Amino acid sequence: MFSGDYTSFEEAARNAVGYDDPNAGAAAATRLAAMITGTNPVEIDGRFQQVHSALCIVRERIQKQRISVLDFGGGNGNYYFRLKDYFPEDCLDWTVVETQNMVQACAPIGSDHVTYLTDIPDGRQYDVALVSGTLQYLPDAYGRLDRIMSAAKWMILTRLPVREALDDKFMVQTVPSHIHNGSMPIQMFSDAKIRTAIKTRGRVEQTWLVALDEGSLAPVEAKPVGFLIQIH
Protein backbone atom coordinates (compact mmCIF):
# COMPACT_ATOMS: atom_id res chain seq x y z
CA MET A 1 0.00 0.00 0.00
CA PHE A 2 2.92 2.38 0.75
CA SER A 3 6.15 2.63 -1.21
CA GLY A 4 9.21 4.81 -1.65
CA ASP A 5 11.14 7.13 0.62
CA TYR A 6 11.25 10.54 -1.04
CA THR A 7 12.99 13.75 -0.05
CA SER A 8 9.88 15.91 -0.49
CA PHE A 9 6.15 15.82 -1.13
CA GLU A 10 6.80 17.13 -4.64
CA GLU A 11 9.15 14.27 -5.45
CA ALA A 12 6.60 11.74 -4.20
CA ALA A 13 3.90 13.45 -6.29
CA ARG A 14 5.95 12.95 -9.45
CA ASN A 15 5.74 9.21 -8.80
CA ALA A 16 1.97 9.06 -8.19
CA VAL A 17 -1.22 9.52 -10.19
CA GLY A 18 -2.48 12.14 -7.74
CA TYR A 19 -5.72 12.85 -5.96
CA ASP A 20 -7.30 14.97 -8.68
CA ASP A 21 -8.01 11.88 -10.75
CA PRO A 22 -11.36 11.64 -12.63
CA ASN A 23 -11.77 8.10 -11.31
CA ALA A 24 -11.79 9.42 -7.73
CA GLY A 25 -14.60 11.90 -8.40
CA ALA A 26 -16.71 9.40 -10.30
CA ALA A 27 -16.33 6.74 -7.60
CA ALA A 28 -17.19 9.24 -4.83
CA ALA A 29 -20.30 10.40 -6.73
CA THR A 30 -21.50 6.81 -7.13
CA ARG A 31 -21.13 6.18 -3.39
CA LEU A 32 -22.89 9.46 -2.60
CA ALA A 33 -25.87 8.63 -4.78
CA ALA A 34 -26.18 5.25 -3.07
CA MET A 35 -26.14 6.90 0.38
CA ILE A 36 -28.81 9.45 -0.52
CA THR A 37 -31.15 6.97 -2.19
CA GLY A 38 -30.66 4.38 0.52
CA THR A 39 -29.23 1.78 -1.87
CA ASN A 40 -26.38 1.15 0.58
CA PRO A 41 -26.91 1.09 4.35
CA VAL A 42 -25.40 4.13 6.08
CA GLU A 43 -23.41 2.82 9.02
CA ILE A 44 -20.88 4.51 11.27
CA ASP A 45 -17.76 2.81 12.59
CA GLY A 46 -15.35 3.97 15.28
CA ARG A 47 -13.81 6.64 13.06
CA PHE A 48 -17.16 8.35 12.56
CA GLN A 49 -18.07 7.91 16.22
CA GLN A 50 -14.91 9.77 17.23
CA VAL A 51 -15.85 12.71 14.98
CA HIS A 52 -19.43 12.62 16.26
CA SER A 53 -18.19 12.81 19.86
CA ALA A 54 -15.88 15.72 19.03
CA LEU A 55 -18.71 17.61 17.28
CA CYS A 56 -20.93 17.09 20.32
CA ILE A 57 -18.23 18.57 22.56
CA VAL A 58 -17.88 21.61 20.30
CA ARG A 59 -21.65 22.11 20.16
CA GLU A 60 -21.85 21.95 23.93
CA ARG A 61 -18.91 24.30 24.46
CA ILE A 62 -20.12 27.01 22.08
CA GLN A 63 -23.77 26.62 23.10
CA LYS A 64 -25.25 26.87 19.62
CA GLN A 65 -28.20 24.94 18.24
CA ARG A 66 -26.91 25.04 14.65
CA ILE A 67 -23.18 24.79 14.03
CA SER A 68 -21.25 25.53 10.85
CA VAL A 69 -18.77 22.88 9.75
CA LEU A 70 -15.93 23.35 7.25
CA ASP A 71 -15.17 19.83 6.03
CA PHE A 72 -11.84 20.37 4.29
CA GLY A 73 -11.05 17.52 1.93
CA GLY A 74 -14.41 16.00 2.79
CA GLY A 75 -14.82 14.11 -0.47
CA ASN A 76 -18.49 13.56 -1.26
CA GLY A 77 -19.70 14.80 2.12
CA ASN A 78 -19.55 11.34 3.63
CA TYR A 79 -19.29 12.55 7.23
CA TYR A 80 -22.41 14.68 6.94
CA PHE A 81 -24.54 11.92 5.47
CA ARG A 82 -23.37 9.39 8.04
CA LEU A 83 -23.73 11.66 11.08
CA LYS A 84 -26.73 13.90 10.35
CA ASP A 85 -29.28 11.49 11.82
CA TYR A 86 -27.42 11.52 15.15
CA PHE A 87 -28.02 15.25 15.61
CA PRO A 88 -31.25 17.27 15.92
CA GLU A 89 -32.79 18.17 12.57
CA ASP A 90 -31.20 21.16 10.81
CA CYS A 91 -28.38 21.25 13.35
CA LEU A 92 -25.48 21.04 10.88
CA ASP A 93 -24.60 23.72 8.33
CA TRP A 94 -22.08 21.68 6.33
CA THR A 95 -19.57 22.90 3.72
CA VAL A 96 -17.17 20.59 1.87
CA VAL A 97 -14.03 22.03 0.28
CA GLU A 98 -12.63 19.73 -2.37
CA THR A 99 -10.86 19.57 -5.72
CA GLN A 100 -12.62 20.89 -8.81
CA ASN A 101 -13.02 17.35 -10.09
CA MET A 102 -14.68 16.16 -6.87
CA VAL A 103 -16.99 19.18 -6.63
CA GLN A 104 -18.12 18.79 -10.25
CA ALA A 105 -18.90 15.12 -9.65
CA CYS A 106 -20.67 15.40 -6.28
CA ALA A 107 -22.38 18.81 -6.17
CA PRO A 108 -25.14 17.87 -8.65
CA ILE A 109 -26.06 14.94 -6.40
CA GLY A 110 -25.58 16.28 -2.88
CA SER A 111 -26.01 20.07 -3.06
CA ASP A 112 -29.52 19.94 -1.56
CA HIS A 113 -27.84 18.89 1.68
CA VAL A 114 -24.23 20.12 1.56
CA THR A 115 -22.44 23.13 0.10
CA TYR A 116 -19.52 22.09 -2.15
CA LEU A 117 -16.71 24.60 -2.77
CA THR A 118 -13.21 24.46 -4.25
CA ASP A 119 -11.67 26.83 -1.68
CA ILE A 120 -12.30 28.32 1.74
CA PRO A 121 -14.43 31.46 1.36
CA ASP A 122 -12.62 34.69 2.28
CA GLY A 123 -13.93 36.26 5.46
CA ARG A 124 -16.06 33.28 6.54
CA GLN A 125 -15.50 32.00 10.07
CA TYR A 126 -16.80 28.49 10.79
CA ASP A 127 -17.58 27.06 14.19
CA VAL A 128 -15.48 23.99 13.51
CA ALA A 129 -13.16 22.72 10.79
CA LEU A 130 -13.06 18.98 10.15
CA VAL A 131 -9.91 17.63 8.50
CA SER A 132 -10.12 13.84 8.40
CA GLY A 133 -7.58 11.74 6.52
CA THR A 134 -6.72 14.77 4.39
CA LEU A 135 -3.78 16.84 5.64
CA GLN A 136 -1.26 14.13 4.75
CA TYR A 137 -2.24 14.35 1.07
CA LEU A 138 -1.82 18.12 0.71
CA PRO A 139 1.23 19.95 -0.63
CA ASP A 140 2.53 22.48 1.90
CA ALA A 141 0.66 20.68 4.66
CA TYR A 142 1.77 23.00 7.45
CA GLY A 143 0.77 26.08 5.46
CA ARG A 144 -2.61 24.52 4.68
CA LEU A 145 -3.10 23.65 8.35
CA ASP A 146 -2.51 27.28 9.30
CA ARG A 147 -4.95 28.50 6.63
CA ILE A 148 -7.70 26.10 7.72
CA MET A 149 -7.23 26.99 11.39
CA SER A 150 -7.57 30.68 10.52
CA ALA A 151 -11.09 29.99 9.22
CA ALA A 152 -12.53 28.26 12.30
CA LYS A 153 -12.92 28.47 16.07
CA TRP A 154 -12.37 24.76 16.63
CA MET A 155 -10.72 22.00 14.63
CA ILE A 156 -11.15 18.23 14.48
CA LEU A 157 -7.95 16.90 12.92
CA THR A 158 -8.14 13.13 12.65
CA ARG A 159 -6.91 10.03 10.84
CA LEU A 160 -3.49 11.72 10.76
CA PRO A 161 -0.42 9.46 10.39
CA VAL A 162 2.33 10.38 12.86
CA ARG A 163 5.74 8.87 13.61
CA GLU A 164 8.13 9.04 16.54
CA ALA A 165 10.79 10.74 14.44
CA LEU A 166 12.41 14.13 14.10
CA ASP A 167 11.40 14.59 10.46
CA ASP A 168 8.40 13.90 8.27
CA LYS A 169 8.51 11.03 5.78
CA PHE A 170 7.24 11.23 2.18
CA MET A 171 5.90 8.17 0.38
CA VAL A 172 3.40 7.06 -2.28
CA GLN A 173 0.18 5.34 -1.26
CA THR A 174 -1.65 3.02 -3.65
CA VAL A 175 -5.42 3.26 -3.31
CA PRO A 176 -7.25 -0.04 -2.65
CA SER A 177 -8.86 -1.21 -5.89
CA HIS A 178 -12.35 -1.45 -4.33
CA ILE A 179 -12.27 2.35 -3.86
CA HIS A 180 -10.73 3.35 -7.20
CA ASN A 181 -7.54 2.68 -9.10
CA GLY A 182 -4.93 5.30 -8.30
CA SER A 183 -2.03 6.45 -6.17
CA MET A 184 -1.10 9.60 -4.33
CA PRO A 185 1.77 11.21 -2.42
CA ILE A 186 1.46 11.03 1.35
CA GLN A 187 3.26 12.72 4.23
CA MET A 188 3.87 10.84 7.49
CA PHE A 189 4.22 13.54 10.13
CA SER A 190 6.77 13.80 12.89
CA ASP A 191 4.65 13.71 16.06
CA ALA A 192 6.71 16.51 17.61
CA LYS A 193 6.56 18.73 14.52
CA ILE A 194 2.81 18.48 13.99
CA ARG A 195 2.10 19.15 17.67
CA THR A 196 4.32 22.23 17.55
CA ALA A 197 2.46 23.47 14.46
CA ILE A 198 -0.90 22.95 16.15
CA LYS A 199 0.17 24.82 19.27
CA THR A 200 1.09 27.94 17.31
CA ARG A 201 -2.64 28.55 16.72
CA GLY A 202 -4.54 26.47 19.21
CA ARG A 203 -4.78 24.30 22.30
CA VAL A 204 -5.28 20.54 22.11
CA GLU A 205 -8.38 19.64 24.14
CA GLN A 206 -8.47 15.91 23.37
CA THR A 207 -6.45 13.32 21.48
CA TRP A 208 -7.33 9.80 20.37
CA LEU A 209 -5.98 6.81 18.50
CA VAL A 210 -7.91 5.86 15.36
CA ALA A 211 -7.75 2.15 16.00
CA LEU A 212 -9.35 1.03 12.73
CA ASP A 213 -6.52 2.64 10.74
CA GLU A 214 -3.68 1.12 12.79
CA GLY A 215 -3.21 -1.99 10.66
CA SER A 216 -2.56 -0.14 7.41
CA LEU A 217 0.05 2.16 8.98
CA ALA A 218 1.90 -0.41 11.08
CA PRO A 219 4.25 -1.48 8.24
CA VAL A 220 5.57 2.10 7.95
CA GLU A 221 5.86 2.55 11.75
CA ALA A 222 3.22 5.26 11.91
CA LYS A 223 0.08 5.51 14.00
CA PRO A 224 -3.23 7.21 13.18
CA VAL A 225 -4.24 9.89 15.67
CA GLY A 226 -6.89 12.53 16.14
CA PHE A 227 -6.99 15.90 17.87
CA LEU A 228 -9.77 18.20 19.08
CA ILE A 229 -8.28 21.70 19.04
CA GLN A 230 -9.62 24.98 20.36
CA ILE A 231 -8.18 27.69 18.12
CA HIS A 232 -6.84 30.91 19.59
Side-chain angles (χ1 to χ4, degrees):
M1 185 177 243
F2 300 100
S3 61
D5 186 2
Y6 300 99
T7 59
S8 68
F9 187 91
E10 291 72 22
E11 184 185 4
R14 290 193 292 270
N15 290 273
V17 174
Y19 183 67
D20 197 14
D21 174 1
N23 289 328
T30 299
R31 293 192 297 271
L32 175 59
M35 276 194 293
I36 292 174
T37 61
T39 304
N40 291 341
V42 178
E43 300 176 354
I44 65 170
D45 60 27
R47 293 166 289 200
F48 293 93
Q49 292 167 16
Q50 288 168 328
V51 170
H52 174 263
S53 295
L55 285 171
C56 288
I57 291 170
V58 171
R59 189 163 172 260
E60 174 64 26
R61 293 284 291 274
I62 66 177
Q63 289 292 295
K64 287 180 67 177
Q65 173 63 25
R66 181 173 168 85
I67 61 172
S68 56
V69 181
L70 171 64
D71 188 357
F72 194 93
N76 59 13
N78 191 33
Y79 272 99
Y80 171 80
F81 290 101
R82 290 184 185 269
L83 296 180
K84 64 182 179 65
D85 291 338
Y86 297 90
F87 287 94
E89 187 176 356
D90 201 34
C91 174
L92 301 173
D93 174 11
W94 205 278
T95 299
V96 169
V97 172
E98 259 295 352
T99 62
Q100 183 71 41
N101 175 58
M102 189 69 71
V103 170
Q104 287 178 343
C106 295
I109 302 169
S111 59
D112 286 346
H113 310 271
V114 172
T115 299
Y116 294 90
L117 301 174
T118 57
D119 204 355
I120 302 171
D122 290 335
R124 175 78 190 268
Q125 189 78 6
Y126 293 84
D127 293 318
V128 57
L130 169 60
V131 185
S132 175
T134 295
L135 191 67
Q136 59 266 36
Y137 300 113
L138 301 178
D140 185 25
Y142 292 102
R144 294 289 188 93
L145 176 65
D146 187 73
R147 172 68 183 97
I148 300 165
M149 293 181 81
S150 74
K153 302 168 187 173
W154 289 77
M155 171 177 276
I156 302 166
L157 177 62
T158 190
R159 302 188 69 186
L160 189 77
V162 301
R163 305 168 63 244
E164 294 297 334
L166 294 176
D167 296 310
D168 298 344
K169 186 180 181 71
F170 304 96
M171 307 184 75
V172 168
Q173 180 180 3
T174 301
V175 182
S177 58
H178 72 275
I179 298 176
H180 69 88
N181 293 317
S183 62
M184 58 194 73
I186 184 170
Q187 184 167 348
M188 307 288 181
F189 295 93
S190 157
D191 185 72
K193 285 181 69 175
I194 193 65
R195 287 177 182 271
T196 297
I198 290 169
K199 288 176 182 178
T200 62
R201 271 198 177 268
R203 180 177 70 249
V204 174
E205 295 282 335
Q206 285 193 0
T207 62
W208 55 84
L209 179 70
V210 186
L212 288 174
D213 289 346
E214 279 189 282
S216 64
L217 291 172
V220 292
E221 300 182 331
K223 61 182 180 180
V225 299
F227 301 91
L228 175 61
I229 306 157
Q230 185 173 17
I231 299 169
H232 301 319

